[in-house]
Amino acid sequence: TDTYNAIQTFLSNPTETLQSVTTQVQSMGNLGLVYFGVVYTVAEILAIPAIPLTASAGYLFGVTGGTAVVLLSASVAAAVSFIIGRTLLRGYVESMLDEYPKFRKIDGAIGREGFKLMLL
């Protein structure tokens, strides 16, 4: 139930919760860097706007440390999101493609020529 309460608190007022996280991280020292990275990664995976966290990273850890933790966390979040999209959510996406034939064609083109399309 602690997890449920934490999620409910976060969803009811995300700005206040993110400010609280920032304050806690500041008091944790070096361990705060790891904690901040985990919170940032989870926020990115859940598509929660991370602008307050990104801005506070520079304040908490300085320009170099803040940039490093944000880049690393965002990269991990992107990789995890990609894996989730390619595995767990693939069936759902394919069922959605049945309803939109134009998107099915785009998906097929990406499957065949993904690298070339990425370079465009």
Side-chain angles (χ1 to χ4, degrees), residues 37-92:
V38 169
V39 169
Y40 191 96
T41 301
V42 171
E44 286 284 320
I45 291 170
L46 296 176
I48 296 169
I51 291 173
L53 287 173
T54 302
S56 63
Y59 171 75
L60 291 170
F61 308 115
V63 174
T64 305
T67 300
V69 73
V70 165
L71 286 175
L72 179 64
S73 300
S75 297
V76 169
V80 170
S81 297
F82 176 79
I83 291 168
I84 289 171
R86 292 288 274 184
T87 57
L88 300 176
L89 297 177
R90 184 65 185 174
Y92 174 74

Side-chain angles (χ1 to χ4, degrees), residues 13-29:
N13 193 347
T15 303
E16 184 178 311
T17 304
L18 291 176
Q19 288 173 345
S20 171
V21 167
T22 301
T23 304
Q24 289 175 350
V25 166
Q26 200 169 22
S27 68
M28 295 173 83

Side-chain angles (χ1 to χ4, degrees), residues 113-120:
E113 303 290 340
F115 185 73
K116 289 180 184 175
L117 289 171
M118 184 178 69
L119 292 177
L120 291 175

Side-chain angles (χ1 to χ4, degrees), residues 97-98 100-112 117:
L97 291 176
D98 291 337
Y100 302 97
K102 288 182 182 179
F103 287 122
R104 174 149 316 271
K105 289 179 183 179
I106 293 170
D107 183 55
I110 291 170
R112 288 186 310 274
L117 289 171

